[in-house]
Amino acid sequence: MSAQQTNRSEEPADDALLAVDELRVSFPGKGWRTPATEVLGGVSLAVRPGETLGLVGESGSGKSTIGRAVLGLVPVASGTIAFGGERIDHLGSARRRAMGRDLQVIFQDPYTSLNPSRTIGDALAEPLIAQGTDVRASRERIAELLRRVHLPADAAARLPREFSGGQRQRVAIARALAIGPRLIICDEPVSALDLTTQRTVLDLLLEIQETTGVAYLFISHDLSVVRFMSHRVAVIHHGEIVETADAESVTTRPHHAYTRTLLLASPVANVARQRERRAAARESGLLEQKP
Ligand code: ADP
Ligand code: MG
């Protein structure tokens, strides 16, 4: 495989919307004598405008920490993060807030991301009002957002408890879209949903990308979901990117041993296909034959 197809950790591209370069993050140890733990050991990745970069790795590998560092929620020990060509790794809170327009996030848990006592309309109005949109214009915008995520118009008057997990995730998507971001960090956005609902939410995210040109940093522990969503995929293991390649070759010609392990762990609905895949992996020497 040529170096062009698979880079262990890529160089930031000039045309990148988001460029993370040699990012290191450590968390302090619990006691004063406990040394700090390095959670990210020099991570580089880039997301281009309109692109989905999938970030896949097992639980605890540091995926959310990357997203949180981009959002300014964890301190950066070293390395740089640039958005739209501008450094954002040490921004003050006022500049950070101003960036909220371009950079949004959707989290895993649709049950805690909405205030239970406020209507869906209030939740959607919040970013609009904060942005200076007047009440009438925001009402129109909310109706448009609800249409875009395929929720009924009367959803605006209802409370979160009246909605299922999948519908709440649609509200979270609508809220992230409210002020027209250029990048949405999706951190395990469908991991709490059942399989059928997962598919409809993923389809919605794809449809939105097609119509708005928004880019996604799409984080998941599930390689099959990441592959379905992404143009390119970065594989993270113990806080380091071990492989970055286009979505197709990551799953058909995995380069790194860890990617092959992930591939086998990724749930496949069809058991026969899983068996076939294992046989193929053994044949090609990707997987060691069990004695
Ligand atoms: P992932 O999203 O891939 O499951 P995380 O980025 O959440 O992984 O966590 C990576 C590692 O960092 C884990 O070992 C986790 O326990 C640790 N970690 C995450 N956040 C903190 C924190 N605020 N303080 C201390 N350790 C943390
Ligand atoms: Mg996580």
Side-chain angles (χ1 to χ4, degrees):
M1 190 170 292
S2 78
Q4 227 135 33
Q5 268 178 309
T6 301
N7 302 320
R8 190 173 160 276
S9 199
E10 58 185 359
E11 294 293 311
D14 287 341
D15 59 346
L17 178 58
L18 175 71
V20 174
D21 192 29
E22 288 297 318
L23 174 66
R24 286 178 187 274
V25 170
S26 298
F27 289 113
K30 292 244 154 48
W32 65 275
R33 288 212 295 179
T34 329
T37 335
E38 188 172 78
V39 170
L40 299 178
V43 164
S44 302
L45 54 84
V47 187
R48 299 184 180 86
E51 177 189 50
T52 301
L53 177 74
L55 179 59
V56 66
E58 68 199 80
S59 172
S61 55
K63 304 181 298 297
S64 293
T65 303
I66 295 178
R68 291 166 60 80
V70 171
L71 294 165
L73 301 173
V74 297
V76 169
S78 69
T80 62
I81 305 173
F83 186 76
E86 198 195 330
R87 287 275 297 270
I88 60 166
D89 39 89
H90 289 93
L91 279 190
S93 55
R95 296 270 309 286
R96 210 9 109 175
R97 268 199 303 280
M99 270 196 59
R101 193 187 179 105
D102 286 333
L103 184 56
Q104 287 290 315
V105 62
I106 301 167
F107 292 110
Q108 171 173 352
D109 190 354
Y111 290 94
T112 56
S113 60
L114 292 168
N115 184 334
S117 61
R118 301 187 64 207
T119 64
I120 302 304
D122 286 342
L124 293 179
E126 194 176 51
L128 295 167
I129 303 291
Q131 199 64 36
T133 315
D134 69 43
V135 175
R136 217 193 112 183
S138 27
R139 214 174 290 135
E140 278 166 20
R141 178 74 179 143
I142 289 166
E144 183 195 327
L145 287 165
L146 289 173
R147 262 199 308 279
R148 180 158 276 174
V149 299
H150 309 304
L151 285 174
D154 67 3
R158 284 149 62 188
L159 290 168
R161 65 163 175 268
E162 300 175 55
F163 293 88
S164 68
Q167 287 172 322
R168 287 178 197 218
Q169 217 45 332
R170 287 171 190 275
V171 175
I173 293 168
R175 191 166 54 178
L177 286 173
I179 43 185
R182 290 198 283 163
L183 176 72
I184 302 178
I185 297 176
C186 307
D187 191 352
E188 307 266 8
V190 299
S191 303
L193 308 175
D194 64 71
L195 281 181
T196 332
T197 313
Q198 281 195 7
R199 182 57 198 261
T200 58
V201 171
L202 295 176
D203 283 339
L204 174 65
L205 287 169
L206 290 176
E207 181 190 313
I208 284 166
Q209 184 169 59
E210 232 161 72
T211 51
T212 65
V214 69
Y216 297 132
L217 175 59
F218 190 92
I219 299 174
S220 176
H221 66 280
D222 184 341
L223 187 55
S224 56
V225 168
V226 163
R227 185 196 160 154
F228 179 71
M229 290 302 292
S230 312
H231 299 103
R232 291 182 311 120
V233 174
V235 181
I236 183 170
H237 185 45
H238 294 326
E240 290 187 28
I241 305 283
V242 296
E243 171 162 11
T244 305
D246 63 274
E248 165 79 24
S249 56
V250 157
T251 43
T252 54
R253 298 182 297 282
H255 194 65
H256 195 275
Y258 178 68
T259 312
R260 298 197 280 270
T261 314
L262 266 188
L263 202 54
L264 293 172
S266 134
V268 173
N270 186 334
V271 179
R273 233 189 94 209
Q274 176 98 341
R275 209 176 300 124
E276 256 171 48
R277 252 182 8 182
R278 282 177 192 268
R282 263 196 301 274
E283 241 167 58
S284 61
L286 292 183
L287 183 72
E288 264 164 26
Q289 186 107 41
K290 287 233 173 72

